[in-house]
Amino acid sequence: MELDIAMRVKDWIPGVQGKTGSAKIHDKMIREFKAGLSNYNFDKSRQCIGAMTIEIDFLQKKSTDSSPYDSDKMAAEFIQQFNNQGFSVTQQLVFSFCDKLFGLMVKDIEAMDASILKGEPASGKKQKIDIGLMVGNSQVIFEKAESSSLTLVGKAKTKEARQTIINPDWNFEKMGIGGLDREFSDIFRRAFASRVFPPDIVEQMGCKHVKGILLFGPPGCGKTLMARQIGKMLNAREPKVVNGPEILNKYVGESEGQHPQTVRRCRGRAEEGERRSLGANSGLHIIIFDELDAICKQRGTGASSTGVHDTVVNQLLSKIDGVEQLNNILVIGMTNRPDLIDDALMRPGRFEVKMEISLPDEKGRVQILTIHTNKMRSFNLLAPNVDIKELAAETKNYSGAELEGLVRAAQSTAMNRHIKATSTVEVDMERAEKLQVTRDDFMGSLNNDIKPAFGTNQEDYSSYIMNGIIKWGDPVTHVLDDGELLVQQTKNSDRTPLVAVLLEGPPHSGKTALAAKIAEDSQFPFIKICSPDKMIGHSEISKCQAIKKVFDDAYKSQLSCVVVDDIERLLDYVPIGPRFSNLVLQALLVLLKKAPPKGRKLLIIGTTSRKDVLQEMEMLDAFSTTIHVPNISTGEQLVDALELLGSFTDKERASIAQQLKGKRVWIGIKKLLVLIEMSLQMDQDYRVTKFLSLLRDEGADRSFYE
């Protein structure tokens, strides 16, 4: 009691504060002060403490630790120690809890509702008081002191001014990410939903925030844009960008240390700054790793003896493990080769959220084109005949970057019309004021300038059907009809996302042309032909890799069609010698049976002239069905083919029909076209004779010639 009075004397008497008077004078002052004091009587109807807010910190800075302290237990202990004691606002005191000494200061006192004291329902009225009496049912609320490293948990702590995770000025409608609504929604659900909730609720659930996001997919589909917009959307610090290729420079030692230092610097700012002062409410720090596959390749796979990649990955793993302890860190990695990244980085707790940023669908392409043409539309520079939906329908398998390039190409075409091609380059200002980007500008750029990297290359399969499809009889019609049924099955059936059909028949019967026609009529966004002529000189391994790449590209599209042409040639089959490549055979068997990813559908059309060989290789079982493509077998069918081709005159066709009437022939449509073109080089009087002679030499049915 005397010590408390002495402290008050020092505070209230300026002449005494800070001076060292004699003990007698000091004792005399205390006695005189006590003589002037009287007991304070609390009015329990108005001065019982209902709730008291106390600011808390470690009493001695050297005794600080990072252990969490339960504010609920702390409040119960405080009430037990100081029950029936009086407190005033700004009062300072020392409190012992869990063998630690804490310095306290009373910040706010709220009187207990008088209705509760009378046993009546609470009136809801709150009254601030300067002095109050602590009772058994008082509520004590602890608040961490500013710049304190103390960690409080539990409900008996103040609701700190929480920093909202979403930037208040952010407009989701203007985020400029087209075609990625579902992906962005999934990322938000996995990575940010826990950050939007108040820390107290997240803490009570025992929920840990996601620390890492991996964005992967084809180039130009919006991975970098997504990461950039996430940084803008969140109420976070300026993202720290780490470029993978720059890390691995020629200085090996520098490479090994540079990457971890970057993470360490970002981690240090988050840990030493807001994290210590604001705890779970600290601002979010974002680290973006661009081209992650350049620095995080699978360990043990590098051909170099220096082991730089392994060292960098090992150090990164240790830093990510350290980052995992902080809630105010978000690491975003981007790559188009997720298969190259070390598996240890992909586990939960590191890059936990893995999101594929794939090619946009038609709805997404409408959004992307709208985003890139909005400014032109607002300044009336976009012609009324430009239909965004039409462009979206025509740009199947275009990535976001390719769609942006298409808009730029159309703009360049429109501007080029207003440049005078004279001795000097000048702009026709009179016409330039009426500049508008028209539909023709877009269509011209679509056909000539911008081609999708993952899509249909019309030149690839148009060469196979440059002469059209000659429907010389019912067999051809049946093949096309069955092909249409398989296309519809691929589109509409959810039970069979993978459909594989084999067109088999004798050489020159038109199998490849029919396969290309079925693929073209399907109008699938992705159509590729895997042909032996593109793999001349390839080793077995490189051939397997080329075939696998075609299928990997096909898996990235919603609807895909792959034509595997001349399978026996892909397998290097010959009737003598080594026979075939078993490595390519096994690769094809795996790919023909492998179902595409969920939500994707794939139609495979194979062609072969050696069904018996594929039967021996057990490859026929890999196809869902087999369709036979026959040769022209009767004279009537051959004459019908000649009529459809229109190569001979009516008189010449009648002469040929007379010669072939009732005869059986056996010739493929492709070979027939060659014989016709050879015959047409003769004089008109000898064309029929030459054609029949060539037909005889091809080995048609012997009865025809006898």
Side-chain angles (χ1 to χ4, degrees):
M1 181 68 179
E2 291 184 359
L3 177 63
D4 185 47
I5 294 173
M7 294 298 295
R8 295 190 185 189
V9 169
K10 290 182 68 178
D11 291 340
W12 293 346
I13 305 177
V16 177
Q17 186 173 358
K19 295 185 178 181
T20 57
S22 65
K24 292 183 179 180
I25 297 176
H26 185 260
D27 293 342
K28 181 180 179 182
M29 292 176 64
I30 292 176
R31 286 194 300 272
E32 292 176 353
F33 184 77
K34 289 174 64 176
L37 293 178
S38 60
N39 292 329
Y40 185 88
N41 295 319
F42 287 93
D43 184 353
K44 294 187 177 181
S45 64
R46 295 186 300 106
Q47 290 184 302
C48 286
I49 297 177
M52 182 168 67
T53 302
I54 300 176
E55 187 178 271
I56 183 171
D57 194 5
F58 292 106
L59 184 63
Q60 294 179 329
K61 295 299 182 182
K62 64 180 181 180
S63 64
T64 61
D65 60 41
S66 58
S67 302
Y69 289 90
D70 192 330
S71 58
D72 297 327
K73 294 180 181 179
M74 191 179 289
E77 180 73 17
F78 184 89
I79 294 174
Q80 183 177 355
Q81 290 186 25
F82 297 100
N83 188 30
N84 207 31
Q85 294 287 324
F87 292 91
S88 62
V89 177
T90 69
Q91 180 179 344
Q92 298 182 10
L93 63 154
V94 177
F95 173 55
S96 175
F97 180 75
C98 292
D99 297 329
K100 285 279 185 180
L101 292 178
F102 298 91
L104 309 183
M105 185 191 74
V106 180
K107 288 192 66 175
D108 183 79
I109 298 177
E110 185 179 300
M112 187 174 291
D113 194 337
S115 302
I116 297 178
L117 297 174
K118 298 177 182 178
E120 300 174 356
S123 63
K125 296 181 180 179
K126 296 181 180 181
Q127 182 180 1
K128 303 289 185 180
I129 55 177
D130 295 327
I131 300 176
L133 181 68
M134 177 68 64
V135 293
N137 57 345
S138 297
Q139 181 184 5
V140 177
I141 303 170
F142 290 98
E143 180 179 300
K144 186 176 68 173
E146 186 177 357
S147 73
S148 173
S149 59
L150 176 66
T151 303
L152 291 177
V153 296
K155 298 180 180 179
K157 61 189 181 79
T158 57
K159 306 293 183 183
E160 299 169 347
R162 186 166 61 92
Q163 293 187 2
T164 175
I165 186 74
I166 305 296
N167 192 327
D169 299 327
W170 182 252
N171 185 348
F172 280 92
E173 295 179 357
K174 297 181 180 179
M175 53 195 310
I177 303 178
L180 297 176
D181 295 346
R182 181 185 61 81
E183 289 83 355
F184 191 83
S185 176
D186 289 345
I187 290 176
F188 190 89
R189 173 179 59 85
R190 290 294 310 279
F192 304 128
S194 62
R195 298 180 185 273
V196 172
F197 265 75
D200 296 340
I201 299 178
V202 176
E203 180 183 295
Q204 293 166 19
M205 293 180 67
C207 177
K208 290 185 177 181
H209 299 311
V210 167
K211 309 300 189 307
I213 302 173
L214 179 66
L215 305 178
F216 66 94
C221 287
K223 299 185 294 296
T224 304
L225 176 62
M226 175 76 80
R228 189 185 305 128
Q229 294 296 67
I230 287 175
K232 291 180 181 179
M233 178 199 74
L234 299 178
N235 192 16
R237 301 296 167 265
E238 184 70 21
K240 176 65 179 178
V241 180
V242 181
N243 293 314
E246 295 179 1
I247 299 294
L248 298 172
N249 53 33
K250 62 181 179 180
Y251 301 106
V252 175
E254 182 181 347
S255 300
E256 294 172 356
Q258 181 177 351
H259 180 8
Q261 287 173 8
T262 302
V263 182
R264 192 182 301 115
R265 284 195 297 268
C266 298
R267 184 176 184 268
R269 287 198 298 269
E271 191 173 25
E272 297 172 5
E274 298 166 284
R275 177 66 182 171
R276 291 183 177 177
S277 60
L278 297 176
N281 293 320
S282 60
L284 188 65
H285 292 255
I286 299 176
I287 308 173
I288 298 176
F289 288 95
D290 200 8
E291 301 298 339
L292 186 65
D293 55 280
I295 54 177
C296 297
K297 292 181 179 178
Q298 292 278 355
R299 287 169 290 179
T301 59
S304 173
S305 61
T306 60
V308 174
H309 280 99
D310 292 2
T311 305
V312 170
V313 172
N314 290 335
Q315 293 188 357
L316 175 62
L317 290 174
S318 66
K319 294 306 170 185
I320 294 290
D321 279 335
V323 169
E324 190 177 15
Q325 305 301 317
L326 302 176
N327 280 337
N328 61 337
I329 286 286
L330 179 65
V331 183
I332 302 177
M334 296 177 292
T335 179
N336 49 36
R337 292 297 304 275
D339 54 302
L340 297 181
I341 298 177
D342 193 88
D343 293 337
L345 276 172
M346 309 295 281
R347 70 159 173 82
R350 289 170 180 159
F351 288 102
E352 182 172 347
V353 177
K354 295 173 279 292
M355 183 61 58
E356 180 180 8
I357 309 299
S358 57
L359 297 170
D361 55 13
E362 187 167 338
K363 179 182 176 182
R365 294 194 295 273
V366 170
Q367 294 178 355
I368 295 171
L369 288 169
T370 301
I371 289 170
H372 291 302
T373 56
N374 268 338
K375 199 163 188 179
M376 288 192 294
R377 189 178 292 104
S378 63
F379 288 96
N380 197 29
L381 296 177
L382 192 67
N385 64 351
V386 176
D387 187 354
I388 297 298
K389 293 184 178 179
E390 179 191 12
L391 291 175
E394 293 291 332
T395 51
K396 296 175 182 177
N397 271 33
Y398 275 66
S399 66
E402 289 164 345
L403 291 172
E404 183 181 4
L406 175 65
V407 175
R408 286 199 303 267
Q411 292 169 339
S412 300
T413 304
M415 289 187 288
N416 187 61
R417 290 199 304 269
H418 302 285
I419 296 178
K420 295 179 181 179
T422 59
S423 57
T424 58
V425 179
E426 297 178 358
V427 178
D428 188 347
M429 296 305 299
E430 294 182 2
R431 298 180 58 192
E433 293 178 356
K434 301 178 181 179
L435 172 67
Q436 277 195 330
V437 182
T438 66
R439 178 183 180 276
D440 292 339
D441 296 328
F442 278 99
M443 290 302 174
S445 301
L446 190 64
N447 296 326
N448 302 319
D449 297 329
I450 307 297
K451 298 293 183 182
F454 300 92
T456 301
N457 186 358
Q458 190 170 1
E459 297 175 357
D460 193 21
Y461 61 80
S462 60
S463 60
Y464 294 106
I465 50 176
M466 60 182 179
N467 295 314
I469 299 298
I470 310 302
K471 297 182 181 179
W472 47 262
D474 291 340
V476 179
T477 305
H478 291 159
V479 172
L480 293 175
D481 290 345
D482 290 345
E484 175 62 22
L485 289 176
L486 293 169
V487 168
Q488 295 302 321
Q489 177 184 346
T490 307
K491 286 182 179 179
N492 303 324
S493 175
D494 294 329
R495 296 182 177 180
T496 55
L498 173 65
V499 177
V501 57
L502 177 66
L503 302 185
E504 61 84 18
H508 312 305
S509 58
K511 301 179 294 297
T512 303
L514 289 170
K517 180 63 175 175
I518 294 171
E520 181 185 41
D521 291 345
S522 70
Q523 295 295 304
F524 283 3
F526 182 95
I527 300 174
K528 281 292 174 68
I529 294 182
C530 183
S531 178
D533 60 3
K534 299 176 182 177
M535 302 182 189
I536 297 175
H538 283 210
S539 65
E540 285 186 301
I541 294 177
S542 61
K543 186 179 291 187
C544 290
Q545 291 173 343
I547 296 172
K548 184 177 182 298
K549 185 178 186 305
V550 172
F551 279 82
D552 287 342
D553 291 347
Y555 296 148
K556 295 172 183 176
S557 178
Q558 301 291 328
L559 282 172
S560 305
C561 178
V562 174
V563 177
V564 184
D565 188 34
D566 213 355
I567 295 177
E568 63 272 16
R569 293 283 73 78
L570 283 173
L571 297 175
D572 297 329
Y573 169 77
V574 287
I576 59 174
R579 304 290 298 218
F580 64 91
S581 168
N582 187 57
L583 194 63
V584 178
L585 171 63
Q586 299 305 323
L588 275 176
L589 287 174
V590 171
L591 293 172
L592 289 173
K593 295 179 180 180
K594 180 183 177 182
K598 186 178 180 181
R600 314 292 168 83
K601 296 183 177 182
L602 174 62
L603 171 63
I604 303 174
I605 306 176
T607 69
T608 182
S609 300
R610 296 301 303 267
K611 178 183 177 183
D612 56 327
V613 172
L614 299 190
Q615 178 70 52
E616 293 179 5
M617 295 178 180
E618 299 182 350
M619 182 176 276
L620 289 184
D621 295 336
F623 291 93
S624 309
T625 185
T626 302
I627 300 176
H628 179 66
V629 181
N631 274 344
I632 296 175
S633 57
T634 66
E636 288 76 12
Q637 291 176 343
L638 192 148
V639 173
D640 289 342
L642 294 177
E643 185 175 355
L644 290 171
L645 289 169
S647 301
F648 293 102
T649 64
D650 293 342
K651 183 179 179 180
E652 290 172 332
R653 284 199 302 273
S655 175
I656 295 172
Q658 182 64 32
Q659 295 290 330
L660 299 178
K661 186 176 181 181
K663 304 295 182 179
R664 294 186 60 82
V665 297
W666 188 252
I667 188 171
I669 185 65
K670 185 177 180 181
K671 178 65 70 171
L672 178 62
L673 288 171
V674 175
L675 299 184
I676 291 172
E677 291 303 314
M678 288 180 63
S679 303
L680 293 177
Q681 308 310 310
M682 301 289 293
D683 292 337
Q684 190 168 3
D685 295 339
Y686 302 101
R687 292 194 305 188
V688 173
T689 304
K690 184 62 178 177
F691 174 73
L692 294 174
S693 174
L694 292 171
L695 191 62
R696 182 183 298 108
D697 294 340
E698 275 302 313
D701 189 83
R702 294 297 178 184
S703 63
F704 170 66
Y705 304 108
E706 296 176 352

